[in-house]
Amino acid sequence: MVRADADGVVVVRRENVPDVIRTSRARVEAEDAYIADYRVGESVIEASRPAEVLEAKGLVVDA
């Protein structure tokens, strides 16, 4: 599968297409949620929830 748009070209092995589609849909859903939060008045920092993202990646902050 080859797709192209203004941002570039992506080549995906046929056997990986289902995983790529699932991952892409999950990303679109996450971005839609981020945009919805931003539109109802959350700041960019509030909407992006950096603490949750960093914690999920293993960051530990001792207060």
Side-chain angles (χ1 to χ4, degrees), residues 18-32:
D19 290 333
V20 171
I21 290 171
R22 274 192 294 280
T23 302
S24 297
R25 286 181 177 156
R27 182 176 179 137
V28 168
E29 289 173 9
E31 289 176 357
D32 288 346

Side-chain angles (χ1 to χ4, degrees), residues 11-63:
V11 178
V12 179
R13 291 182 185 271
R14 184 178 305 270
E15 63 269 16
N16 295 339
V17 169
D19 290 333
V20 171
I21 290 171
R22 274 192 294 280
T23 302
S24 297
R25 286 181 177 156
R27 182 176 179 137
V28 168
E29 289 173 9
E31 289 176 357
D32 288 346
Y34 171 81
I35 292 167
D37 290 343
Y38 188 68
R39 284 186 174 157
V40 297
E42 288 191 13
S43 70
V44 172
I45 297 297
E46 292 168 327
S48 63
R49 295 167 179 61
E52 292 175 22
V53 172
L54 294 172
E55 184 179 313
K57 292 179 182 265
L59 177 70
V60 177
V61 178
D62 291 330

